[in-house]
Amino acid sequence: MADFKNSSFATFLRKNKICPVCFAKKIASATQIHLNGADRFENGTALTPPMGWASWNLFRNRINEKLIEDIAKAMRDSGLADCGYQYVNIDDCWMSSSRDENGRLRGDLATFPSGIKALCEKVNDLGLKLGIYTSNGTLTCEDLPSSLYHERTDAETFAEWGIEYFKYDFCHNIPIPTNAPEISTVMLTKPGCAEGITLYAEDAELRGNAILLSDSKMADTGRYVSGLESGGGSMYFSNVDIPEDGTYTLTLGLHKAGFKDKYLEIVVNDTDIYTLTEPGTKGFTHDGRNQITVELKKGSNSFKFHNPVASRMDSAAKQYRNMGKELQRATKLVAEREGKEEKPICFSICEWGRNKPWIWGHTAGNLWRTTPDIKPVWASIIGIYEVNVRLYKHAGSGNWNDPDMLEVGNGDLNDNENKAHFSLWCMMSAPLILGNDLRKFIRPDGSVDKDNKILKIISNKAAIAINQDKLGIQCRRIRTNGLTDVLVKPLENKEMAICLLNKGPVEMEVSFDMKDIVKESFALLPDAYKYEVYDIWDDKEFKIRDTYSAKLAPHSVKLFRIMAD
Ligand code: GLA
């Protein structure tokens, strides 16, 4: 709770005259389970779900700097920026297939010839923010250079360019091995010195599955520690006396074993974590060696050796957390170096829900994809909704479930389907990242096509207000019969959004009773004699006492904002 009270979200609540402690007690216990987590990823962005546009859903690999700039202009000129849309995100295919001579990513030399920094400045001049994409793998999904093993360089490059949104995909990922090296000795030397301190396996404190074994074909004592893999065991040296503060070379003497890659974490003085990987081994001798540089302090030092990665989920969480930390480090570094205000990068995790990111995503980034890629067809939208709607407990201000970018205005979705898709994303506190061609909203004479049905949907301020509500509570489904659902979302000022959904192909009647809704523990709506209802898509107001029922067309919703009368 102490961490929560001091968090930027708590400050934000106070500014909005909401008592953070009361809020945490009333809301977090019932809904947002990660809100109090000390390990929450917090960078001041995405306090409400991020809003913007991304190139992938419609344009795929057919992108270039002019298109991105034209979309940004259209976002501003159509009034979408005034509705809250601010990120212009370049998805896959922006990068050249080769890094520059300093190993840095660069824009495609033919389609982004002015470079991403220049494009970012243009987008910023329009009052908008530029977003970018790579993969947590050796290549992107379109097989272009990516950021796994280049995290620090790429994070710094993005921060230097002024990027403010970063989507990190999962194609060509290489998981962290769950195996661990077997350690015989640990040698600590000052750079330039051959003599130092040597620690022997037999003197270590062993925990869990860690076990001392011997191999007569090895040098020295032939004894080594095994069993450090999969979070099952660890090896410690404490009270290692170091003569002076400084940088030391830590050389591990290893027992060569097995053909699988191995991973090790070395925790120095309980705080500094160093990592190393060891390739599968086959050599003439049984003795291997691995070296890193560590910072030690004068006097007593401690060392822990282990591989805590036991699963694909551990691996993904660690790799995404690592990138999140690098982004935070990079934006601070660049701000200090350039003497400018820090531009934090909203960090969008995109591993398609493979490794249950709703469990760990809040420790790594601002949002996490919960599902595979969306398509502009009703079955895809509803399939994604069915997964994401159940995950309401994991979302909250600063860290959101992401059911993927919007397809409103794409494919053959009809008016009801477009409204329903948008409404569901608003109810689920989903990021509102548009995926359609915004240039269509601007007529050749430069005026805005205000009658454009798609523009009307995505700029509906009442619908957006539900999504952007400061409480940041994802809706709950309180009733379903398979074909129709009733969703409720508590809002600020003791108001509530209700969405009735007909998923099926024929007209269906959907109803609710205010008494059932008010008695739910998470509802912030007071028990009242009458309620005032605003029908968002019909733009009509009416009052209800208790029950309400309506016939809904196939693939459609009714979206209401309700308050006590
Ligand atoms: C994956 C992602 C998509 C998109 C493409 C780009 O499929 O899930 O959203 O970014 O990669 O190649």
Side-chain angles (χ1 to χ4, degrees), residues 424-455:
L424 295 176
W425 265 233
C426 288
M427 289 296 286
M428 294 192 293
S429 305
L432 297 181
I433 306 295
L434 304 166
N436 58 315
D437 190 349
L438 309 187
R439 297 171 304 178
K440 286 189 180 162
F441 304 145
I442 312 294
R443 296 201 191 92
D445 66 1
S447 64
V448 181
D449 180 5
K450 294 223 166 88
D451 298 326
N452 184 296
K453 283 189 169 175
I454 302 301
L455 180 59

Side-chain angles (χ1 to χ4, degrees), residues 283-517:
F284 295 110
T285 72
H286 286 206
D287 298 284
R289 195 157 47 91
N290 209 325
Q291 241 166 21
I292 54 164
T293 301
V294 293
E295 292 300 319
L296 301 179
K297 58 177 180 144
K298 182 175 177 344
S300 173
N301 287 259
S302 70
F303 299 85
K304 174 183 177 181
F305 300 86
H306 71 147
N307 178 356
V309 178
S311 63
R312 287 287 166 100
M313 177 156 83
D314 287 349
S315 165
K318 247 180 199 300
Q319 291 172 329
Y320 278 101
R321 251 180 239 135
N322 179 30
M323 191 51 163
K325 285 200 184 109
E326 290 298 341
L327 293 170
Q328 286 181 302
R329 178 188 162 278
T331 54
K332 274 197 190 68
L333 191 85
V334 168
E336 276 163 24
R337 197 191 290 154
E338 295 180 3
K340 289 190 189 146
E341 207 184 314
E342 186 180 353
K343 273 173 139 185
I345 299 177
C346 180
F347 183 29
S348 156
I349 296 167
C350 174
E351 57 75 85
W352 325 302
R354 281 249 175 111
N355 298 286
K356 298 198 173 76
W358 45 91
I359 294 172
W360 49 266
H362 68 286
T363 67
N366 297 108
L367 55 150
W368 48 88
R369 278 273 297 277
T370 54
T371 48
D373 289 12
I374 196 164
K375 293 189 188 69
V377 290
W378 184 247
S380 162
I381 290 161
I382 286 300
I384 285 176
Y385 155 79
E386 287 292 349
V387 174
N388 199 70
V389 73
R390 291 160 211 254
L391 300 172
Y392 61 90
K393 282 200 174 174
H394 302 282
S397 178
N399 315 88
W400 308 99
N401 289 313
D402 174 8
D404 208 354
M405 304 169 290
L406 292 159
E407 291 283 18
V408 178
N410 288 344
D412 295 324
L413 294 171
N414 65 33
D415 194 45
N416 279 340
E417 290 171 334
N418 278 321
K419 282 181 183 149
H421 174 23
F422 195 70
S423 304
L424 295 176
W425 265 233
C426 288
M427 289 296 286
M428 294 192 293
S429 305
L432 297 181
I433 306 295
L434 304 166
N436 58 315
D437 190 349
L438 309 187
R439 297 171 304 178
K440 286 189 180 162
F441 304 145
I442 312 294
R443 296 201 191 92
D445 66 1
S447 64
V448 181
D449 180 5
K450 294 223 166 88
D451 298 326
N452 184 296
K453 283 189 169 175
I454 302 301
L455 180 59
K456 280 186 168 176
I457 296 172
I458 59 180
S459 60
N460 185 305
K461 289 197 174 157
I464 293 172
I466 288 174
N467 175 267
Q468 293 291 302
D469 185 85
K470 303 279 188 299
L471 297 187
I473 302 174
Q474 180 172 330
C475 71
R476 283 190 190 200
R477 174 158 61 186
I478 57 159
R479 190 183 300 164
T480 180
N481 65 7
L483 284 179
T484 66
D485 290 359
V486 179
L487 306 170
V488 299
K489 182 181 197 302
L491 304 175
E492 285 184 286
N493 304 322
K494 300 189 175 147
E495 296 185 18
M496 174 163 270
I498 299 190
C499 180
L500 311 181
L501 165 67
N502 178 7
K503 297 178 260 188
V506 291
E507 186 181 86
M508 299 281 283
E509 179 145 351
V510 194
S511 58
F512 63 85
D513 188 333
M514 285 308 296
K515 283 199 215 78
D516 294 341
I517 293 175

Side-chain angles (χ1 to χ4, degrees), residues 2 11 35-36 42 70 88 96 104 139 151 155 192 232 282 304 309 346 354 361 403-404 444 450-451 534-535:
T11 315
L35 204 61
N36 295 340
E42 245 191 311
D70 287 349
V88 178
S96 166
R104 295 183 148 229
L139 296 169
E151 292 85 354
K282 189 177 185 322
K304 174 183 177 181
V309 178
C346 180
R354 281 249 175 111
D404 208 354
K450 294 223 166 88
D451 298 326
Y534 175 55
D535 180 328

